Amino acid sequence: MDILLKSTFGYSDVTLYCLSYHLSDITNDGMFLQYFIGKKLNTRWDRIVYKDIDHMRLKAMLSPNIYNRIKRKQRQNKIYIDKQFKEPAILHLSDGLKV
């Protein structure tokens, strides 16, 4: 949990997402994905987390304001997000790394 709350660890977006997803999955609580999406991340994560919340049926566990914000952001940036998903994944793996 400390890793998600403190951004000084230098983990990549992908690592933080995997931790958030796993913790949300085993606890059946969307709180961890909520912390993850609360960071200043690329908008593609809004789409990924939005789909995960629907897939894991965690919508009822999140506050309506947070869920609606995620939904609105991923809809507003749909074209940009689709473009990013068509690009090779390797271009996005170094996001968040502190060298």
Side-chain angles (χ1 to χ4, degrees), residues 4-93:
L4 295 174
L5 295 175
K6 298 177 184 175
S7 61
T8 58
F9 285 104
Y11 293 107
S12 72
D13 294 353
V14 175
T15 304
L16 294 174
Y17 166 73
C18 290
L19 287 170
S20 301
Y21 182 88
H22 179 69
L23 291 171
S24 290
D25 189 35
I26 63 173
T27 63
N28 200 28
D29 188 357
M31 172 183 62
F32 301 103
L33 287 171
Q34 178 181 333
Y35 285 133
F36 172 73
I37 206 66
K39 298 186 175 300
K40 303 287 184 196
L41 300 171
N42 190 299
T43 57
R44 69 178 169 267
W45 292 112
D46 292 316
R47 178 71 176 171
I48 293 168
V49 170
Y50 175 74
K51 287 297 188 180
D52 288 341
I53 290 169
D54 282 346
H55 174 73
M56 292 191 288
R57 297 184 178 110
L58 300 175
K59 179 181 175 181
M61 304 228 175
L62 294 176
S63 75
N65 292 339
I66 292 171
Y67 181 78
N68 289 335
R69 182 183 61 84
I70 294 169
K71 185 177 178 179
R72 183 180 64 247
K73 284 180 71 177
Q74 64 93 23
R75 281 188 179 170
Q76 287 174 343
N77 298 303
K78 184 177 179 10
I79 295 170
Y80 174 72
I81 292 168
D82 288 343
K83 179 184 167 213
Q84 285 208 332
F85 283 138
K86 290 177 184 175
E87 294 175 351
I90 195 72
L91 296 175
H92 307 288
L93 288 180

